[in-house]
Amino acid sequence: MRRANPKSSGGTLRIVAGSLRGSRLEVPDLDGLRPTPDRVRETLFNWLAPVIAGARCLDLYAGTGALGIEALSRGAGECVFIERDRALCVRLQDNLARLRVANARVVNADACGFLAAAPAAAFDLTFLDPPFGADLWAASAQALEQGGWLRPGAFIYLEAPKDAAPPLPANWAVHREGHAGAVRYALYHRLA
């Protein structure tokens, strides 16, 4: 679940492009819920345009599921959403059903606990956007890397506070990065 600050973020957000373009997702009125803004998602998926078709995606700390749903809209082959908040999982499942998205699975689990299990298959693209106050970047990144969750050449998208420098695996190279307000977003490429 994406939580940054005590501000509420109730309302809606839209899917920027692809088969679900213009579709709206309700954003529940929860303290600190921080969905990735349209402008940042548009930039990210422009970066991912050459590799998104058919990609197997993992949306850790899914929250509203905006990143994974945007990936599916743009041609990803599958997305697994991990969210520990039961109410957000139900809302995400409802949104997927309303949008008639069949190539998605929602798992109600703690992300680090989920990553402790053996993967069924590795992912091409992972969205790593944990609650800012929980400092879960390093632990999640190590679990992804050491647990066999990432394919060779996988891409990992990460959001963190602008001034944070989470320790990440040495074989994750910055592919592209940017800033939006107090948030730094970066796309990493997993090197062999």
Side-chain angles (χ1 to χ4, degrees):
M1 185 166 50
R2 296 177 174 83
R3 294 184 182 277
N5 57 43
K7 282 190 168 184
S8 169
S9 61
T12 62
L13 59 83
R14 69 179 175 89
I15 301 303
V16 177
S19 63
L20 301 172
R21 181 183 181 161
S23 297
R24 296 278 176 184
L25 301 176
E26 287 186 29
V27 178
D29 190 12
L30 296 174
D31 285 347
L33 185 64
R34 183 185 48 75
T36 302
D38 292 2
R39 183 176 60 107
V40 173
R41 278 185 287 114
E42 183 171 13
T43 298
L44 168 63
F45 285 97
N46 286 340
W47 296 344
L48 289 169
V51 298
I52 195 68
R56 185 164 192 261
C57 303
L58 176 63
D59 191 351
L60 286 173
Y61 311 98
T64 63
L67 290 169
I69 293 172
E70 189 80 46
L72 292 168
S73 179
R74 293 176 184 243
E78 172 189 10
C79 188
V80 177
F81 297 87
I82 310 302
E83 177 53 55
R84 69 177 176 165
D85 184 287
R86 180 78 179 132
L88 284 173
C89 282
V90 169
R91 186 168 299 227
L92 180 51
Q93 289 170 324
D94 290 347
N95 278 327
L96 291 168
R98 178 178 54 81
L99 297 172
R100 296 186 176 112
V101 175
N103 51 343
R105 181 168 58 106
V106 178
V107 178
N108 182 209
D110 172 77
C112 289
F114 176 83
L115 294 175
F123 291 90
D124 302 300
L125 172 61
T126 297
F127 302 106
L128 178 55
D129 184 11
F132 279 13
D135 195 21
L136 294 168
W137 297 279
S140 299
Q142 288 304 319
L144 284 165
E145 185 61 41
Q146 295 172 354
W149 291 98
L150 303 172
R151 287 192 177 149
F155 285 90
I156 305 97
Y157 172 74
L158 185 139
E159 279 186 33
K162 193 174 183 177
D163 57 350
L168 299 173
N171 63 327
W172 289 17
V174 174
H175 180 68
R176 301 286 295 266
E177 65 183 325
H179 297 90
V183 175
R184 174 184 174 262
Y185 56 95
L187 183 63
Y188 290 85
H189 191 211
R190 182 178 187 249
L191 306 177

